[in-house]
Amino acid sequence: MKDLFDLSGKVALVTGGTHGIGLAIGLILGRAGARVCVNDLSDEKLDNCKAEFRKEGLEVYTLKFNVTDEQDVDRG
């Protein structure tokens, strides 16, 4: 993937990144070298997301917060 584009040194926040298209995007960004952060409201979904990244040998930073709540975002 890094042959296509290199995101080393970049940080990506993927909202909705615990499943489906968001998870796939997060994994692609991680393979390209980005440090990936995923948020969700569910601890279980965040744990499952971490497991998917580990399967790929990638690290992911997860945060539990609601992106539609400005105070929650500021707290995160």
Side-chain angles (χ1 to χ4, degrees):
M1 181 60 69
K2 286 190 179 185
D3 292 338
L4 182 58
F5 58 97
D6 184 5
L7 296 178
S8 298
K10 304 293 184 184
V11 177
L13 169 62
V14 183
T15 60
T18 59
H19 59 282
I21 293 171
L23 176 60
I25 290 170
L27 290 169
I28 289 169
L29 294 171
R31 288 183 206 127
R35 294 179 64 200
V36 179
C37 177
V38 172
N39 82 294
D40 202 280
L41 295 176
S42 164
D43 289 325
E44 181 180 353
K45 287 182 180 180
L46 291 170
D47 289 342
N48 291 338
C49 175
K50 287 179 190 178
E52 290 299 319
F53 272 77
R54 276 194 300 270
K55 286 181 191 176
E56 297 273 340
L58 300 170
E59 291 186 35
V60 64
Y61 182 72
T62 59
L63 289 170
K64 185 176 177 179
F65 68 92
N66 182 349
V67 296
T68 66
D69 182 335
E70 187 175 347
Q71 289 180 329
D72 209 19
V73 171
D74 288 342
R75 180 192 56 77

